[in-house]
Amino acid sequence: MTSTRAAGVPVVEDGSLVSTNPATGEEVGRFAVASADEVSRIVGRAREAAVWWVGLGHAGRRARLLRWRALLAQRVEEAAALISREGGKPTAEAIVETVAAIDHVDWAARNAHRVLRPRRVRGRMALAEFSAHLEYQPMGVVGVIGPWNYPVITPLGSIAYALAAGNTVVFKPSEYTPAVGAWLESTFAEVVPEQPVFQVVHGLGDVGAALCRAGVHKVAFTGSTATGKKVMAACAETLTPVLIEAGGKDALIVDADADVAAAAEACVWGALTNAGQTCLAIERVYAVSPVYDAFVAEVVRRAGALTVGYGDGFDIGPITMPKQVDVIRRHIDDALAGGGRAVLGGREAVEPPFVKPTILVDVPEDSAAVTEETFGPTLVIRKVADVDEAVRLANASSYGLGGAVFGKRRAVAAARRLRTGMASVNSVITFIGMSSLPFGGVGDSGFGRTHGDDGLREFSRAKAITTRRGPSALKAMTFERTPAHVARIVKAVKLLYGRSPRP
C-alpha cells in the first residue's frame, strides 16, 4: 500500500514510530513505541542497573566511557551519515557535531573523579570541634529528553555527564531523529553489555511525559520553551528536579573597531549553519553605524554564495521539521509588512522543504522576526549608534542563551554585559565545543547547566558530612548548656564577629 505521509513528519504505524528523510521522504527506520507501563519498567531496570554502575567507581566508569568514546570516534562517518539521512543536515556539519560530542564524552569521563570526589572543606571557628567534608553522590536514574536539530551533541551533553557522575540514563530522543538515538544506545551496549545502564524509549510527546512521571530522579530537557514548561509541569507532580535548555534568540554585536570581514564570516556561519536550526543561532545583529554598510554588504555576499539542497556539495540542507517552514514564512512576512527590507532572499526564498538564506534590515524591534525564535536561515541586521545601544537591544529579549561581540577595545566588557548564559568574543557559538565550560541560559532559555564542572555537579547530589573531633568548647548544641556556657557564646561571637572590618 502506498503511504501518503509527508516527508520528515514522524508518524506511528502499527505501534512503530516511522522516521523519514525530510528532503526525500525515504524511510530511515521503524522503532517500537513505548507505552507508559513500558517506560516505567525500563526506568525500573535502570534503577537496578544503577547499583552496579555506581559500584564500578569513578575508575570503572571512566574506563567504559573512554571505550565508548573510542568507538564513537572510529565510527564518526557512520554517525554523520545517519544524522544526515534522518535530519537532512549536510554530512560535513554532522561530522563537526559528532566530533564535538566525542570530546564531551572524553572530558566528562576524565574529569568526573576530580570534580566529584569527597573532599575536606574548611570549617568555622565557632564549630572548631567538628571537621567538614563534602561529597557528590549520584542521583540514580536520569531521564534525558533530546532535540532533533543536534541529535548527538546536545543529548550527550547531558547523557555523558550523567553517566560519568554515576547515574544510569533513560533517553527519549526526538520523534524526528529516533534512528540516531537508537544508534547511540546500540554503540554504548557494545562497550557496556553487562547491565542496561543506558536505554532508549521511542515515541511522541506522550512518551516524554511518561518518562517525567516514571520515577526518574532528574529530567534533562532540551527543546522549545513551550514544551519545557510542559515538562516542568509534569515533573512538578512528583517534585522531580529538571534541567531546561530551551530556545534562544542570540544577538551579535559588531563594534566600530571590529574586523568586518571576520565578523561577517562568523555571522553567516552562526546564523545559517544547520539551516539556522540552532538554539544558539545568531538571529539578530546590532552593528554600529560606522561599519554597518560594509558589514551588511559582506554578509549578503557570503550568504548569497551558499548552496541549498540535500546531498553532497550543498551548504544548507532542508528544514527538518516541516511545520517550521510556516513559522519562518510568517516571520519574513511580518518583518516586510512592518517596513523591513530583504537585502537577500525574502518571501521567494521559502521553497519547502528548503529555505534559502534571507537577510532582513530596517525591521521593527517589536516584529516576530526580532522577538520570537525563528529557527531558520534568516537574519535581522540593525544599525545602532554605539555599543551601549546594541547591548540594550540585545538584552531586551526574553531569551538569554548565548551571544557574541566582535570588536577590540570594548568587546570583552560588552560580552560581560549581555544577559546570557554564554558569550563569545570575536567568534560565535564556540562555547558549545568547550567541554570545560558550563552550558545553559537564563530567562526563557531555561536554567541549569550541562558541560564542565557544573555539568557534572548538575547530575549529582551534594552531601555534607560533619565529624566531631573533640569536646565542644562552647556547648551550643546541647540541653546541657548552662548560663555560663551561654555567656561564653555571647563573648565568643562578639570577639569573632563584633568588630567592623577596616575600610
Side-chain angles (χ1 to χ4, degrees):
M1 184 175 69
T2 302
S3 174
T4 58
R5 59 174 177 262
V9 177
V11 296
V12 175
E13 293 180 355
D14 300 323
S16 293
L17 177 64
V18 183
S19 175
T20 57
N21 181 296
T24 67
E26 167 205 4
E27 184 174 306
V28 180
R30 290 174 177 249
F31 307 89
V33 174
S35 67
D37 287 342
E38 287 169 332
V39 172
S40 293
R41 284 195 293 272
I42 287 170
V43 170
R45 289 198 293 270
R47 194 176 293 114
E48 294 173 0
V51 177
W52 175 80
W53 187 243
V54 169
L56 292 177
H58 284 295
R61 293 191 296 271
R62 178 182 185 273
R64 285 161 174 79
L65 287 170
L66 291 180
R67 287 205 296 268
W68 190 33
R69 175 218 62 191
L71 183 62
L72 294 175
Q74 292 161 9
R75 298 184 185 175
V76 63
E77 296 95 343
E78 179 184 330
L82 181 58
I83 294 168
S84 180
R85 280 183 62 212
E86 190 165 50
K89 182 181 300 186
T91 303
E93 295 283 355
I95 286 177
V96 171
E97 174 188 350
T98 307
V99 168
I102 291 168
D103 186 72
H104 280 290
V105 176
D106 180 79
W107 193 93
R110 292 184 183 278
N111 288 275
H113 179 256
R114 173 186 62 81
V115 175
L116 304 176
R117 71 184 187 277
R119 69 199 65 187
R120 185 168 178 173
V121 178
R122 186 173 181 179
R124 302 296 294 168
M125 186 64 70
L127 292 170
E129 68 274 25
F130 294 95
S131 63
H133 293 83
L134 171 66
E135 63 181 59
Y136 293 90
Q137 299 179 344
M139 306 190 82
V141 182
V142 173
V144 176
I145 301 175
W148 50 263
N149 58 331
Y150 287 91
V152 173
I153 187 172
T154 301
L156 283 188
S158 294
I159 292 167
Y161 291 78
L163 291 171
N167 305 280
T168 53
V169 171
V170 178
F171 173 39
K172 193 274 178 190
S174 168
E175 56 267 36
Y176 288 87
T177 52
V180 176
W183 186 87
L184 290 173
E185 179 187 34
S186 66
T187 56
F188 187 84
E190 287 187 44
V191 298
V192 185
E194 300 96 329
Q195 294 278 345
V197 172
F198 172 39
Q199 302 173 86
V200 170
V201 293
H202 295 289
L204 304 178
D206 60 317
V207 176
L211 181 59
C212 293
R213 299 184 174 100
V216 296
H217 301 98
K218 186 162 191 170
V219 170
F221 166 82
T222 303
S224 70
T225 301
T227 304
K229 292 177 180 178
K230 294 178 181 178
V231 168
M232 286 185 66
C235 289
E237 297 172 12
T238 51
L239 288 181
T240 300
V242 295
L243 180 157
I244 302 291
E245 198 268 277
K249 193 70 180 178
D250 288 11
L252 165 64
I253 295 172
V254 184
D255 202 357
D257 58 357
D259 182 330
V260 172
E265 178 187 359
C267 175
V268 169
W269 184 79
L272 305 180
T273 182
N274 197 28
Q277 300 168 118
T278 305
C279 55
L280 295 164
I282 299 298
E283 296 200 6
R284 302 175 292 151
V285 178
Y286 299 101
V288 299
S289 54
V291 297
Y292 172 82
D293 291 334
F295 176 79
V296 171
E298 186 66 9
V299 167
V300 169
R301 183 185 72 80
R302 290 176 180 271
L306 299 178
T307 56
V308 180
Y310 176 70
D312 293 339
F314 290 103
D315 300 305
I316 298 175
I319 302 303
T320 304
M321 195 163 63
K323 65 181 182 181
Q324 195 65 28
V325 173
D326 295 332
V327 175
I328 298 168
R329 183 186 289 111
R330 175 173 62 83
H331 284 194
I332 294 173
D333 287 345
D334 184 64
L336 297 177
R341 296 182 295 114
V343 291
L344 179 69
R347 292 188 179 95
E348 66 278 9
V350 182
E351 301 173 353
F354 302 100
V355 177
K356 294 179 180 178
T358 293
I359 311 300
L360 301 162
V361 298
D362 301 333
V363 179
E365 286 293 300
D366 61 354
S367 69
V370 175
T371 61
E372 299 176 15
E373 185 175 36
T374 305
F375 233 58
T378 66
L379 179 67
V380 175
I381 307 176
R382 178 188 174 101
K383 182 190 296 185
V384 294
D386 52 32
V387 167
D388 288 339
E389 183 183 9
V391 170
R392 177 177 61 79
L393 292 172
N395 287 343
S397 173
S398 62
Y399 293 103
L401 193 53
V405 181
F406 266 78
K408 296 183 178 68
R409 188 163 57 88
R410 295 174 292 266
V412 172
R416 289 191 174 116
R417 292 166 61 194
L418 290 176
R419 180 184 161 274
T420 61
M422 302 157 292
S424 298
V425 175
N426 293 326
S427 65
V428 296
I429 318 182
T430 41
F431 35 73
I432 183 66
M434 198 71 72
S435 306
S436 53
L437 284 176
F439 180 96
V442 299
D444 283 354
S445 293
F447 52 85
R449 293 296 182 265
T450 58
H451 307 172
D453 291 11
D454 291 331
L456 287 166
R457 294 190 184 108
E458 190 78 40
F459 299 106
S460 307
R461 291 192 180 96
K463 182 69 171 285
I465 300 174
T466 58
T467 304
R468 180 180 289 278
R469 299 185 298 181
S472 297
L474 298 179
K475 283 192 174 294
M477 304 177 74
T478 175
F479 283 119
E480 300 299 316
R481 61 178 175 258
T482 66
H485 293 136
V486 174
R488 284 197 206 105
I489 292 171
V490 172
K491 183 177 180 181
V493 76
K494 289 182 177 180
L495 180 65
L496 288 171
Y497 307 118
R499 288 179 292 183
S500 298
R502 294 179 179 178

